Amino acid sequence: MARQKREVFPAGLYGMLLFALCCLTLPGIAAPIERLLVGTACLVPWALGGFGGEPAAAADAGVAERVAALARQLDERLREHDLGQGPAVLLRDHEPMLCGVVASERRGGGGQPCELRLDRSHAELAGCAEFVTKGDVLLGTLVRQGQGVAAADAATDHARVLLLNHPAARAVAAVAQLPEGGALRMVVRGAAAVDPAPLRVDLWDDPYRAARLDRGGFDVRTLALPPQYGGVPGGLWLGRTLVWGFDGDGIDAPVTIGVFVVPPIEPRALSHVVVWRKRDGVAPPGRRPEPLRRAATVRELPGASAGRWLVAADVAVPDGAAVVLEGFCLGTARGLSFGLGLLTAFPSSRHPWNLLLLPDDPALRPREIVAQVERSDAGAALVRWRGDSLDGESQRLPPGYLFTGSNGPHCPPGLLLGTAVPHRFDRSLLEVTTPSVPGPQAAQVVAAEEER
């Protein structure tokens, strides 16, 4: 009987099951094998697609020029908003420098990311002030190379920013002006990951009055202190208060358990921040070079109507690489072997995107948002978004052009996705229209130089 069981369940089957278990538990080991197998399988439809006609070039050369003009307008308006307001104490002997966000990392206070990696190196930002801002909002501090979380970083590594909700971030002295008169001074520090907001209030100058707060929404700004006590510039915006406790029932008064601070900008939505460089007569670093764009071809796959395409380039396609056609970003690709990749169009994606909205109205500022496609139909996507509360919580996004924000080194900010209009009934939804891709097309794959 035992011999029959061994024949029914051969050792090879156990080996395959063990291999499959290793692939599931250690995806890093299985990833190269998967790339090779899927890339090999895609060679057949790629070869057959060659008989379907040559890739078409851009039909209208003016399209790319108009897209480039919109990208320049986005950059100008971002700089006007982010650099136009700043702490007076820094403006006297510092100049602002706009830096792109490469990635947001680590879960901090309120469950939000609490650490940023910038597109500048530690060496490039070595002489900058430690405070990082956006408009008049204090975001956090630069980490010096060789210190704290950057102890093992090289001078050429991406610079790090500790946001105020980071466990290692310094506490900040702050003040809130109350509408009934007077002010409450406090100390604000990073909250716990399970707390309802990224920042919490630790100490009050008037604990009795603070305990009687029955509503939130008051602006909290930094309080200027002498340099020996931290030297944070005064008047920078930290956020709005959020009172956590029990509501009164008409008989018993409300009970305040704790007060938190909600920053006006969501860390996940950040694509650019402002670093302050000393005016020392040395020429500031030039703009970072744009990631390289490699020639590629996009062809239809079975099921292309669902937003899946096959991409071929003359270099390896990195995971998360943006695919650009006539200046428009079609979506991001998953890299395979043999210079092939699988493109998922933006309307068919279901992962969160960091995005930038350029309003049609030139008087309005660009908006940084985090969004995710809920459903799509024939090139139109319904996108649910969340973002900053600089203008209040109930603001509806204006119509405009939607660009990529910070989505990794191979999908940089400023790539046009399409046009966006607010949903008629739900202010947290955007209706996004993207270009179609008929037949084989000559496109470009974005690849960061250091990652190729």
Side-chain angles (χ1 to χ4, degrees):
M1 182 65 70
R3 182 177 180 182
Q4 291 179 351
K5 288 184 176 180
R6 283 195 297 271
E7 292 175 353
V8 175
F9 297 99
L13 177 59
Y14 288 112
M16 292 177 63
L17 292 175
L18 180 60
F19 178 73
L21 180 61
C22 291
C23 292
L24 290 173
T25 56
L26 302 172
I29 296 177
I33 302 174
E34 182 186 8
R35 287 173 181 267
L36 178 61
L37 294 177
V38 179
T40 303
C42 288
L43 285 175
V44 176
W46 177 256
L48 294 176
F51 296 102
E54 291 297 321
D60 184 1
V63 173
E65 295 179 1
R66 290 193 293 271
V67 172
L70 286 172
R72 289 192 297 269
Q73 185 179 352
L74 172 68
D75 181 71
E76 292 170 0
R77 286 164 66 175
L78 275 172
R79 292 177 176 275
E80 179 183 357
H81 174 261
D82 292 346
L83 306 180
Q85 304 176 36
V89 67
L90 289 178
L91 284 171
R92 285 198 297 266
D93 53 359
H94 291 76
E95 56 186 356
M97 184 166 62
L98 197 65
C99 297
V101 176
V102 175
S104 56
E105 303 172 344
R106 187 170 176 174
R107 187 165 173 257
Q112 297 280 352
C114 63
E115 190 173 328
L116 304 178
R117 302 298 291 267
L118 304 184
D119 63 354
R120 300 281 181 171
S121 66
H122 288 290
E124 290 177 287
L125 303 183
C128 294
E130 61 178 328
F131 306 110
V132 179
T133 63
K134 190 173 186 68
D136 65 341
V137 178
L138 177 64
L139 298 176
T141 56
L142 274 176
V143 184
R144 304 302 180 188
Q145 186 237 336
Q147 300 179 9
V149 297
D153 286 1
T156 55
D157 288 342
H158 294 291
R160 297 176 185 259
V161 176
L162 291 191
L163 299 179
L164 297 178
N165 64 328
H166 195 284
R170 68 170 65 178
V172 179
V175 61
Q177 300 292 334
L178 303 181
E180 62 269 19
L184 278 173
R185 292 175 174 82
M186 66 198 79
V187 173
V188 176
R189 66 175 72 247
V194 296
D195 283 335
L199 306 175
R200 63 184 172 91
V201 178
D202 254 2
L203 299 172
W204 300 89
D205 66 340
D206 189 346
Y208 177 75
R209 190 177 185 186
R212 297 177 63 85
L213 290 175
D214 58 357
R215 66 186 187 279
F218 307 137
D219 282 352
V220 178
R221 294 186 176 270
T222 57
L223 188 63
L225 293 177
Q228 61 267 30
Y229 297 109
V232 177
L236 290 178
W237 194 10
L238 296 178
R240 300 182 179 92
T241 55
L242 171 67
V243 177
W244 191 257
F246 297 98
D247 295 329
D249 57 4
I251 300 176
D252 297 325
V255 177
T256 298
I257 297 177
V259 178
F260 297 87
V261 177
V262 182
I265 299 176
E266 185 170 345
R268 291 190 187 94
L270 286 169
S271 61
H272 297 84
V273 299
V274 178
V275 173
W276 294 85
R277 180 184 173 277
K278 284 190 175 180
R279 302 180 191 270
D280 51 8
V282 179
R287 290 201 179 199
R288 297 290 292 183
E290 293 290 333
L292 297 178
R293 297 190 183 187
R294 296 290 182 162
T297 303
V298 178
R299 292 188 185 275
E300 295 182 352
L301 277 175
S305 59
R308 302 291 189 270
W309 301 81
L310 186 60
V311 181
D314 57 357
V315 294
V317 178
D319 282 337
V323 179
V324 180
L325 175 65
E326 295 183 358
F328 284 88
C329 177
L330 302 179
T332 55
R334 178 188 175 201
L336 303 175
S337 299
F338 313 114
L340 299 178
L342 292 176
L343 165 66
T344 300
F346 172 76
S348 300
S349 65
R350 292 299 181 266
H351 62 83
W353 285 74
N354 183 295
L355 301 174
L356 290 162
L357 179 72
L358 177 67
D360 290 334
D361 186 348
L364 299 179
R365 62 182 178 86
R367 300 292 296 270
E368 292 176 310
I369 61 175
V370 177
Q372 187 167 352
V373 177
E374 288 200 343
R375 59 181 182 272
S376 59
D377 180 27
L382 199 61
V383 176
R384 189 168 298 277
W385 69 274
R386 61 185 187 279
D388 64 62
S389 57
L390 294 172
D391 304 321
E393 297 289 347
S394 60
Q395 293 295 315
R396 181 189 295 267
L397 286 180
Y401 296 94
L402 197 64
F403 293 80
T404 58
S406 176
N407 295 282
H410 307 295
C411 187
L415 300 177
L416 181 61
L417 288 166
T419 57
V421 295
H423 193 270
R424 289 178 296 173
F425 308 115
D426 191 341
R427 63 170 176 261
S428 65
L429 289 177
L430 279 175
E431 297 176 1
V432 181
T433 303
T434 59
S436 60
V437 187
Q441 292 281 339
Q444 295 174 317
V445 170
V446 179
E449 187 173 4
E450 64 270 20
E451 298 292 338
R452 289 187 289 114

